[in-house]
């Protein structure tokens, strides 16, 4: 407007010029204000639209007593997906969130193991690989697995305790909440007890994972050194058909070479009747993948902290158990320090077979940042180093989420599953941890994560994962945990 006025000003009188100057001092400011209001209105409309899309995604993926991650690619109930999904349901239907968790725990094993998949009997076996006919948990686990429910024979990180605490905090005084906690707490305790008692053979307070899938980061580069040393003898695994390639671009999925080793490790555990003692045996008869993972163990620290709080929310409260769980959290948090790598300036997984660190600059190296304050025993000495490393644009501080592998690593792949792309759940874990600290440094990082998470969804909706450099979405559509965690962060109205 000012440009148009300047071009015609020679025809104006002095009086007109003075009036114009008076108006000109106000008019641009009015236009700026109007532009800001319009922008905010559009932003609010976009946000409301994305919130509605997120709720529709969860409702569409609900299959009666649980929410599948996505139709086609993931047709069953996944363990840590379920925990994340309840954060979304909790924003508008806590009853559904409770049903979701209790449905998962119907698959819990006698020894406390919480399987990473509970299979839907209404889904054809041919719809997903590896299906229940490959795990054979109900017939080859020496009666550890339940008979009425088919499950896998491995686990996911124990994010379930935090999910339960989120639900209880929303309405701690209601009879429904008290009843739910009374039912679920003993199951959580058995789940935690299994990890602490059966997954720590050397007694160093760090639990092991025995399959890459247990980390939740299936084909992440830190597993390469272990998988490279696994020879799959001809005929040692039955023929199989990868159904994942029917629903996703093969360029987005792990290679066949990697899948052969995934299957080999499955069968290794199955052939040992899913006995942790046999699987982790160090006499050469155990399975080759026994790894201490910083992500899994950091989530275990948070889970133990949350068990301590849940024990006090029981009716009656149990301060003795609360103290026990805080001691567990402190022990595991202290043990995490042994995974620090001066070379990487972050934590590294450790191969229990070779006793050597798996040196890869991956997102799991930042895992202690997800632990919510107060940090058991006080913040570790490496905490500030992790914050600084995370904010390096050359490695991890990309425009669209935190990449799963450092950008300058030669193996970085912008679209290949856990070998580069950004995942919404990882940013969310760090966000929720950092938001509890309250320092200028952590607030800055948390704000940056919020902006990146908003940009990821704004670009393409509820997708599975993203190219961290340009925001291109990959994987499946209408992905449940993205929808759920978006609701938790951006759309929570606490409507039951």
């Amino acid at each position: 407007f000012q440009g148009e006025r300047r071009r015609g000003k020679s025809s104006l009188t002095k009086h007109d010029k003075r009036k114009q100057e008076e108006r000109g001092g106000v008019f641009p400011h009015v236009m700026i204000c109007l532009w800001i209001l319009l922008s905010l209105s559009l932003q609010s409309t976009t946000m409301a639209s994305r919130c509605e899309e997120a709720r529709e995604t969860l409702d569409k993926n609900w299959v009666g007593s649980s929410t599948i991650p996505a139709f086609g690619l993931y047709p069953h109930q996944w363990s840590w997906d379920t925990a994340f999904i309840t954060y979304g349901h909790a924003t508008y239907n806590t009853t559904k969130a409770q049903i979701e968790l209790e449905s998962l725990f119907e698959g819990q094993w006698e020894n406390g193991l919480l399987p990473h998949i509970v299979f839907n009997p209404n889904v054809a076996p041919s719809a997903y690989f590896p299906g229940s006919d490959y795990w054979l948990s109900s017939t080859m686990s020496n009666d550890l697995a339940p008979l009425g429910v088919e499950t896998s024979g491995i686990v996911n990180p124990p994010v379930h305790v935090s999910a339960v605490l989120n639900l209880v905090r929303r309405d701690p005084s209601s009879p429904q909440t008290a009843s739910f906690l009374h039912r679920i707490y003993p199951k959580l305790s058995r789940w935690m007890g299994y990890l602490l008692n059966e997954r720590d053979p050397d007694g160093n307070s760090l639990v092991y994972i025995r399959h890459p899938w247990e980390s939740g980061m299936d084909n992440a580069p830190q597993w390469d050194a272990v998988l490279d040393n696994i020879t799959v003898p001809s005929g040692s695994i039955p023929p199989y058909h990868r159904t994942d390639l029917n629903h996703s671009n093969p360029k987005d999925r792990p290679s066949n070479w990697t899948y052969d080793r995934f299957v080999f490790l499955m069968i290794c555990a199955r052939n040992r009747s899913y006995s942790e003692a046999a699987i982790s045996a160090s006499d050469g008869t155990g399975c080759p993948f026994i790894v201490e993972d910083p992500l899994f163990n950091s989530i275990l620290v948070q889970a133990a902290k949350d068990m301590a709080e849940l024990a006090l929310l029981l009716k009656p409260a149990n301060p003795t158990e609360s103290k026990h769980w805080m001691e567990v959290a402190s022990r595991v948090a202290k043990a995490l320090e042994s995974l620090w790598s001066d070379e990487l300036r972050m934590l590294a997984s450790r191969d229990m077979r070779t006793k050597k660190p798996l040196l890869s600059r991956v997102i799991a190296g930042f895992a202690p940042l997800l632990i919510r304050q107060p940090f058991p025993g006080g913040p570790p000495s490496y905490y500030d180093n992790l914050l600084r490393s995370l904010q390096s644009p050359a490695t991890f501080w990309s425009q669209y989420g935190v990449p799963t592998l450092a950008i300058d690593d030669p193996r970085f792949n912008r679209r290949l599953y856990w070998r580069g792309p950004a995942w919404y759940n990882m940013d969310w874990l760090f966000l929720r941890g950092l938001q509890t600290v309250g320092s200028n440094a952590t607030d800055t990082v948390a704000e940056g994560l919020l902006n990146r998470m908003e940009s990821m969804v704004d670009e393409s909706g509820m997708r599975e994962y993203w190219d961290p450099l340009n925001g291109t979405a990959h994987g499946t559509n209408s992905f449940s945990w993205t929808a759920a965690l978006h609701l938790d962060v951006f759309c929570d109205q606490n409507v039951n």
Side-chain angles (χ1 to χ4, degrees):
F1 285 98
Q2 287 178 305
E4 289 295 323
R5 286 174 180 269
R6 282 195 296 270
R7 284 194 291 270
K9 68 180 181 179
S10 60
S11 62
L12 296 176
T13 67
K14 290 182 179 180
H15 176 76
D16 290 334
K17 288 181 181 180
R18 187 169 61 253
K19 290 295 185 182
Q20 183 193 46
E21 289 168 359
E22 291 173 358
R23 290 193 302 269
V26 175
F27 189 73
H29 297 290
V30 172
M31 292 304 297
I32 290 171
C33 290
L34 289 173
W35 179 84
I36 291 172
L37 289 172
L38 179 61
S39 297
L40 290 173
S41 176
L42 290 173
Q43 185 179 23
S44 177
T45 301
T46 300
M47 180 65 72
S49 175
R50 288 304 189 196
C51 292
E52 184 60 29
E53 179 187 351
R55 283 187 284 269
E56 288 175 356
T57 296
L58 293 188
D59 291 343
K60 180 181 72 173
N61 291 346
W62 176 259
V63 291
S65 61
S66 66
T67 308
I68 60 174
F71 279 96
L73 188 57
Y74 305 109
H76 300 288
Q77 184 177 21
W78 262 257
S79 176
W80 79 328
D81 293 68
T82 287
F84 290 132
I85 288 166
T86 65
Y87 283 89
H89 285 315
T91 65
Y92 67 102
N93 192 328
T94 55
T95 298
K96 185 177 281 189
Q98 292 176 8
I99 293 171
E100 182 102 34
L101 281 163
E102 295 197 272
S103 173
L104 177 69
F105 274 89
E106 288 179 7
Q108 187 170 31
W109 290 23
E110 189 66 27
N111 61 353
L113 180 151
L114 187 64
H116 96 299
I117 298 177
V118 174
F119 291 102
N120 184 342
N122 297 319
V123 174
S126 60
Y128 177 79
F129 176 83
S132 59
D133 55 341
Y134 223 88
W135 293 98
L136 299 176
S137 60
S138 62
T139 57
M140 293 192 67
S141 64
N142 280 341
D143 298 326
L144 288 174
L147 295 178
V149 182
E150 292 295 338
T151 75
S152 66
I154 61 174
V155 302
N156 271 158
V159 287
H160 318 84
V161 183
S162 302
V164 169
L165 180 57
N166 177 59
L167 291 175
V168 173
R169 281 175 171 172
R170 286 175 176 272
D171 194 9
S173 60
S174 79
Q176 179 182 351
T177 299
S179 177
F180 168 69
L181 180 57
H182 177 76
R183 295 191 304 271
I184 201 80
Y185 181 87
K187 299 175 182 179
L188 291 172
S189 184
R190 287 176 51 222
W191 167 215
M192 294 286 286
Y194 157 78
L195 292 173
L196 296 166
N197 297 327
E198 299 204 28
R199 293 288 189 110
D200 182 22
D202 60 3
N204 72 347
S205 297
L206 295 176
V207 306
Y208 68 75
I209 58 173
R210 53 177 166 83
H211 195 291
W213 288 340
E214 292 197 319
S215 71
M217 303 172 62
D218 304 11
N219 66 332
Q222 65 265 39
W223 317 136
D224 291 357
V226 183
L227 298 181
D228 285 346
N229 288 324
I230 296 177
T231 299
V232 181
S234 178
S236 63
I237 56 176
Y240 63 89
H241 171 66
R242 291 183 58 182
T243 56
D244 61 312
L245 300 182
N246 298 337
H247 304 287
S248 189
N249 190 321
K251 293 180 179 179
D252 295 349
R253 303 292 299 173
S255 67
N256 288 333
W257 182 93
T258 302
Y259 246 79
D260 280 349
R261 279 140 189 84
F262 289 166
V263 174
F264 178 85
L265 291 170
M266 286 173 52
I267 293 178
C268 185
R270 191 183 74 185
N271 289 347
R272 287 155 183 78
S273 301
Y274 297 105
S275 162
E276 297 302 336
I279 292 167
S280 64
S282 58
D283 59 2
T285 63
C287 295
F289 189 99
I290 304 293
V291 173
E292 293 168 333
D293 170 45
L295 177 63
F296 197 103
N297 280 279
S298 293
I299 291 174
L300 182 64
V301 172
Q302 185 60 52
K305 283 188 61 185
D306 291 343
M307 285 295 289
E309 185 170 343
L310 287 173
L312 296 178
L313 292 170
L314 290 168
K315 298 186 185 303
N318 192 328
T320 302
E321 282 211 12
S322 180
K323 180 181 178 182
H324 161 72
W325 290 119
M326 281 306 301
E327 290 172 350
V328 169
S330 296
R331 285 201 310 269
V332 181
K334 180 67 176 176
L336 276 171
E337 296 180 13
S338 69
L339 299 181
W340 172 259
S341 167
D342 286 331
E343 179 179 343
L344 300 180
R345 308 304 296 168
M346 57 171 49
L347 274 64
S349 296
R350 182 164 52 215
D351 183 352
M352 291 186 69
R353 295 302 187 205
T354 65
K355 308 301 182 185
K356 294 180 179 179
L358 303 175
L359 297 176
S360 291
R361 289 175 301 153
V362 292
I363 195 171
F366 298 111
L369 297 179
L370 67 84
I371 299 171
R372 303 179 187 185
Q373 300 301 305
F375 202 98
S381 58
Y382 54 72
Y383 195 90
D384 289 341
N385 283 321
L386 291 180
L387 276 179
R388 283 191 291 271
S389 296
L390 178 61
Q391 294 176 88
S392 169
T395 53
F396 286 100
W397 204 234
S398 53
Q399 185 175 356
Y400 294 94
V402 181
T404 42
L405 176 65
I407 296 166
D408 62 349
D409 189 297
R411 298 168 296 176
F412 175 78
N413 187 313
R414 297 157 68 133
R415 65 181 300 164
L416 183 50
Y417 217 39
W418 291 93
R419 299 181 73 88
W423 289 73
Y424 211 79
N425 68 322
M426 297 304 297
D427 284 15
W428 178 87
L429 284 168
F430 294 137
L431 172 70
R432 289 311 195 202
L434 293 169
Q435 285 177 327
T436 65
V437 180
S439 71
N440 289 336
T442 54
D443 286 350
T444 297
V445 178
E447 184 65 27
L449 289 171
L450 271 173
N451 292 336
R452 284 158 173 79
M453 293 171 71
E454 187 173 6
S455 295
M456 292 156 77
V457 166
D458 280 350
E459 285 290 320
S460 47
M462 309 305 149
R463 294 297 297 272
E464 189 175 5
Y465 53 90
W466 285 261
D467 179 327
L469 302 182
N470 65 16
T472 300
H474 294 283
T476 190
N477 298 307
S478 300
F479 194 61
S480 289
W481 84 29
T482 300
L485 300 179
H486 185 79
L487 286 169
D488 177 66
V489 174
F490 296 106
C491 319
D492 189 358
Q493 299 176 13
N494 198 21
V495 177
N496 296 311

